[in-house]
């Protein structure tokens, strides 16, 4: 037995591998292009909760500084909720536009 591989067999193997790769086209899937419904839902929940928490933190901080405990907390909690809802609606609108563009692209390719 030889310690080194047979160069003729290696050359033949390389030729077979090259022939197998040249005849096959690699087709990419579109799985990573869009977001799943669960990812979109979690994104919207996080946007709403972060708006609320930011409003609560600002309101509590202002109440602590001025010594008026529930007033600013309630005002900024409502403002945080409104900001979170507005951000959620903007995200939904962007996703609707991207879905519309994607369906227009697929229908144009089909024609």
């Amino acid at each position: 037995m030889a310690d080194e591989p047979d160069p003729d067999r290696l050359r033949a193997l390389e030729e077979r591998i090259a022939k197998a790769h040249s005849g096959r086209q690699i087709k990419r899937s579109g799985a990573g292009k869009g977001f799943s419904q669960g990812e979109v839902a979690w994104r919207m929940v996080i946007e709403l909760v972060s708006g609320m928490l930011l409003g609560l933190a600002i309101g509590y901080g202002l109440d602590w500084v001025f010594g008026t405990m529930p007033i600013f907390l309630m005002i900024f909690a409502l403002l945080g909720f409104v900001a979170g809802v507005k951000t959620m609606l903007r995200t939904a609108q962007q996703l609707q536009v991207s879905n519309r563009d994607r369906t227009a692209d697929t229908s144009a390719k089909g024609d």
Side-chain angles (χ1 to χ4, degrees), residues 4-99:
E4 295 185 21
D6 186 20
D8 294 330
R9 289 182 64 197
L10 284 176
R11 208 171 302 120
L13 178 63
E14 288 173 359
E15 288 174 8
R16 286 193 336 217
I17 291 173
K19 190 185 297 182
H21 282 297
S22 67
R24 188 174 11 153
Q25 293 287 335
I26 298 175
K27 188 173 185 178
R28 304 256 182 217
S29 69
K33 292 183 180 179
F35 293 109
S36 71
Q37 295 295 325
E39 291 169 335
V40 171
W42 274 111
R43 178 180 172 181
M44 289 185 173
V45 166
I46 289 171
E47 288 172 349
L48 179 66
V49 169
S50 62
M52 287 277 306
L53 289 177
L54 189 62
L56 285 170
I58 292 171
Y60 182 78
L62 288 174
D63 276 336
W64 183 77
V65 168
F66 295 123
T68 58
M69 205 45 179
I71 294 172
F72 287 117
L73 182 69
M74 292 189 311
I75 291 171
F76 279 92
L78 289 173
L79 288 176
F81 177 74
V82 169
V85 169
K86 188 174 179 180
T87 306
M88 282 176 43
L89 290 175
R90 189 178 325 123
T91 300
Q93 185 179 16
Q94 289 173 350
L95 289 171
Q96 187 177 15
V97 167
S98 67
N99 284 341

